[in-house]
Amino acid sequence: MEVEVEIGSLFVATSPRSAGEDQDHVQALVEVRVPLPPVLVHRPTMRVIDGVHRLRAAQLRGDEKIPVTYFDGSESDAFVLAVESNVAHGLPLSVADRKRAAGRIITTHPQWSDRMIATTTGLSPGTVSEIRRRAAGDTLIEGSRIGQDGRIRPVNIAAGRALAGKLIQENPGLSLRQIAREARISPETARDVRNRLHRGEDPLPKPRVRARPGPASAAPATSAERARTEPPAVTSDGEAISRSRIAARAAAVDRLKSDPALRFNETGRTLLRLFNFHTLTGAEWQAIIDSVPPHCVGMVTSLARECACVWEEIAARMEHEAIA
């Protein structure tokens, strides 16, 4: 819930932004005439989690109060929220800051998966994995990690599949949920193992050959740069989409993200979030395609086509209104 508090009651402490505050950005916010989003504050400490530039702009305007929303979690979770907020909107964190933030989150939340930390910090899972490997005193929770959906999954899926195969052979009457619970895998993975055994195949599929990720230090700073450095997307008929088209689309989204008219209102941020999904690289789209279980392919395919039709309708309506 949004409330107004005295500016003097807030303070700024540790920030994921190593370069400090950007005075040009603060001045730009001073001149914005639309209401800015509330500042996010850690209630137990009254520390600003997200919105330091908005706070400084309010101080320059001579405001005595500022709208805030409170966060009541731990300080380590507050840092995660600060990183996530500065990746999603506002003045973006540099690549170096995001990497440092990932290293800290790996230390405070070692049970989080690489993909979950990658989503929070705006890095690729491969970059997070490399940071994890290089981290001094890395203390992983052996055997499992928490994914983006909050579920606990084994780090070594091969061990889970092998155990599932053994359970199925020894107890053919076990349900998929029982097998999944014992082997710490998903019911759908258990189903795949059972089907493989029925076909006389090995429970563990052969690994796919993937492009070797580049060094962590070469991680791109923007969606456009990331699109240029990743393999091109692949269409349903197997033809590669031009990498330049992906980069151009990502660059256009990056330009929209820098426009205060969109960034500082909820409807605009919703539009930016929707567009951001379409800056995924070919490798990321392929990972999504690979993750769809066989029994969901028909439904996902249908929804994808329907969503494409929705965007076509939106484009047509906007063109019509622009002409009118």
Side-chain angles (χ1 to χ4, degrees), residues 13-93:
T14 305
S15 168
R17 199 181 304 278
S18 61
E21 299 159 22
D22 186 314
Q23 296 305 316
D24 290 338
H25 188 58
V26 172
Q27 192 59 46
L29 293 180
V30 171
E31 299 172 5
V32 172
R33 299 305 175 190
V34 297
L36 298 177
V39 172
L40 185 60
V41 174
H42 186 225
R43 194 197 302 264
T45 62
M46 294 302 287
R47 178 173 62 84
V48 176
I49 297 173
D50 177 49
V52 173
H53 291 98
R54 278 167 270 159
L55 175 65
R56 298 306 187 208
Q59 290 173 323
L60 285 178
R61 287 195 301 265
D63 299 342
E64 295 183 356
K65 293 186 176 182
I66 191 170
V68 309
T69 54
Y70 285 118
F71 173 71
D72 294 302
S74 66
E75 290 200 47
S76 60
D77 285 342
F79 178 79
V80 171
L81 189 56
V83 174
E84 192 171 30
S85 299
N86 281 280
V87 166
H89 64 80
L91 187 65
L93 294 175

Side-chain angles (χ1 to χ4, degrees), residues 242-279:
S242 169
R243 184 175 297 179
S244 62
R245 287 180 57 194
I246 301 173
R249 185 166 63 246
V253 174
D254 283 336
R255 288 196 296 272
L256 289 175
K257 287 180 181 178
S258 66
D259 191 328
L262 290 174
R263 200 170 68 229
F264 294 129
N265 67 84
E266 187 57 39
T267 304
R269 288 196 297 275
T270 298
L271 178 63
L272 292 176
R273 284 194 293 269
L274 289 172
F275 277 136
N276 199 53
F277 285 120
H278 298 285
T279 66

Side-chain angles (χ1 to χ4, degrees), residues 2-324:
E2 180 180 328
V3 297
E4 283 201 341
V5 303
E6 297 285 342
I7 288 179
S9 66
L10 305 176
F11 74 95
V12 179
T14 305
S15 168
R17 199 181 304 278
S18 61
E21 299 159 22
D22 186 314
Q23 296 305 316
D24 290 338
H25 188 58
V26 172
Q27 192 59 46
L29 293 180
V30 171
E31 299 172 5
V32 172
R33 299 305 175 190
V34 297
L36 298 177
V39 172
L40 185 60
V41 174
H42 186 225
R43 194 197 302 264
T45 62
M46 294 302 287
R47 178 173 62 84
V48 176
I49 297 173
D50 177 49
V52 173
H53 291 98
R54 278 167 270 159
L55 175 65
R56 298 306 187 208
Q59 290 173 323
L60 285 178
R61 287 195 301 265
D63 299 342
E64 295 183 356
K65 293 186 176 182
I66 191 170
V68 309
T69 54
Y70 285 118
F71 173 71
D72 294 302
S74 66
E75 290 200 47
S76 60
D77 285 342
F79 178 79
V80 171
L81 189 56
V83 174
E84 192 171 30
S85 299
N86 281 280
V87 166
H89 64 80
L91 187 65
L93 294 175
S94 68
V95 176
D97 284 341
R98 283 182 272 149
K99 288 181 179 179
R100 277 190 289 270
R104 177 170 170 177
I105 294 171
I106 286 169
T107 301
T108 59
H109 299 71
Q111 75 277 22
W112 280 17
S113 68
D114 292 341
R115 189 168 294 279
M116 187 172 183
I117 296 176
T119 300
T120 299
T121 57
L123 298 170
S124 70
T127 298
V128 174
S129 177
E130 181 66 21
I131 294 171
R132 191 189 293 273
R133 284 194 296 269
R134 294 182 179 184
D138 187 13
T139 54
L140 302 181
I141 292 182
E142 294 297 336
S144 64
R145 291 197 189 138
I146 299 176
Q148 288 177 263
D149 58 2
R151 296 182 179 180
I152 299 176
R153 292 184 174 84
V155 175
N156 186 358
I157 192 66
R161 280 180 168 270
L163 178 56
K166 182 179 178 181
L167 291 170
I168 292 170
Q169 290 174 336
E170 294 177 351
N171 303 279
L174 287 178
S175 69
L176 291 176
R177 291 192 177 277
Q178 289 173 314
I179 297 167
R181 185 168 55 251
E182 289 293 328
R184 297 183 69 82
I185 58 177
S186 70
E188 193 53 43
T189 300
R191 184 194 304 277
D192 182 66
V193 171
R194 188 175 66 181
N195 290 341
R196 285 178 173 277
L197 290 176
H198 286 171
R199 295 193 300 265
E201 300 174 2
D202 192 274
L204 185 65
K206 292 182 180 180
R208 299 185 180 185
V209 178
R210 294 184 180 274
R212 189 174 181 178
S217 59
T222 66
S223 298
E225 291 170 339
R226 178 167 57 87
R228 287 194 294 270
T229 60
E230 293 282 355
V234 177
T235 59
S236 58
D237 60 1
E239 296 179 355
I241 296 176
S242 169
R243 184 175 297 179
S244 62
R245 287 180 57 194
I246 301 173
R249 185 166 63 246
V253 174
D254 283 336
R255 288 196 296 272
L256 289 175
K257 287 180 181 178
S258 66
D259 191 328
L262 290 174
R263 200 170 68 229
F264 294 129
N265 67 84
E266 187 57 39
T267 304
R269 288 196 297 275
T270 298
L271 178 63
L272 292 176
R273 284 194 293 269
L274 289 172
F275 277 136
N276 199 53
F277 285 120
H278 298 285
T279 66
L280 295 179
T281 64
E284 290 169 326
W285 279 119
Q286 189 60 51
I288 291 174
I289 293 169
D290 292 344
S291 70
V292 177
H295 69 280
C296 294
V297 169
M299 186 179 298
V300 172
T301 301
S302 177
L303 284 172
R305 290 197 173 103
E306 288 185 19
C307 289
C309 291
V310 170
W311 279 113
E312 285 286 351
E313 182 181 351
I314 290 173
R317 288 168 60 181
M318 292 188 69
E319 287 177 345
H320 175 76
E321 292 180 8
I323 294 174

